[in-house]
Amino acid sequence: RNTVARDRQKITADVGARLALSSSLGDLSAEYRHDITGTFDGGEFILRYQLPISIGRFTISPAAQVNFLDRATANHMYGVTTKQRARAIRKGRDIILPVAPITDSAMNLGGDITATFQISERLTMIGVLAGTYLDKAIHRSAAIDQKWESQAILGLIYNF
């Protein structure tokens, strides 16, 4: 999981289930996952729609999704604890975030565009541009200075 504070000391793992339906109108999926390590004991539900459009070896897939995070998950992903702040100070981090727990559940809205190009039978290039609008429960936190998160990913996929 990606977290707002770099000074997390515990590794977490989730377990969950995903249901996906595909048709000529696109792909719809619903997914639930829950922390099984006891680190934060929270869960997240994701509802996602994407429309893959293929032209030869090139595919572009615009998508939209809604992420429902319970309070524990929202706090784990975006909150800052006293221990995290103290560790950041001790390590001399350039940015010291204030202690800022997230006390409510959240519903983040996101969208992305994924593009793939099949180079060969086994090798595919992939690029993703994504943006997520953070719920008010998150962006009103003193540790969060933006209402949006964004990502850009570029990579290669090898099929065995």
Side-chain angles (χ1 to χ4, degrees):
R1 289 191 176 270
N2 184 21
T3 54
V4 73
R6 289 175 44 189
D7 292 295
R8 301 277 185 205
Q9 291 191 328
K10 293 184 179 180
I11 294 175
T12 65
D14 295 343
V15 68
R18 183 173 189 231
L19 174 66
L21 303 169
S22 294
S23 76
S24 60
L25 299 175
D27 304 328
L28 182 65
S29 64
E31 175 182 344
Y32 178 78
R33 54 187 175 211
H34 190 84
D35 169 46
I36 59 169
T37 60
T39 301
F40 64 96
D41 199 32
E44 174 180 20
F45 177 75
I46 302 165
L47 187 59
R48 179 178 174 82
Y49 172 76
Q50 69 178 10
L51 180 62
I53 302 164
S54 295
I55 303 167
R57 298 184 300 166
F58 180 74
T59 301
I60 188 164
S61 302
Q65 72 180 38
V66 179
N67 292 50
F68 300 94
L69 293 81
D70 65 18
R71 188 209 52 79
T73 303
N75 187 52
H76 176 73
M77 292 177 71
Y78 298 99
V80 179
T81 67
T82 305
K83 282 184 181 179
Q84 290 166 329
R85 178 176 166 76
R87 188 161 190 248
I89 292 169
R90 193 170 56 252
K91 287 189 158 205
R93 298 278 192 236
D94 292 335
I95 298 172
I96 306 298
L97 297 173
V99 174
I102 305 297
T103 58
D104 294 318
S105 59
M107 181 179 73
N108 294 340
L109 305 174
D112 60 78
I113 296 177
T114 301
T116 60
F117 180 75
Q118 188 172 4
I119 298 168
S120 68
E121 185 177 311
R122 295 191 178 267
L123 196 60
T124 303
M125 181 182 284
I126 184 170
V128 181
L129 293 175
T132 302
Y133 179 77
L134 301 174
D135 186 274
K136 187 166 71 171
I138 295 167
H139 72 73
R140 71 178 173 211
S141 165
I144 307 295
D145 62 355
Q146 297 179 0
K147 293 181 179 183
W148 288 88
E149 285 183 323
S150 59
Q151 292 180 334
I153 300 167
L154 183 61
L156 290 172
I157 300 170
Y158 183 80
N159 294 314
F160 293 93

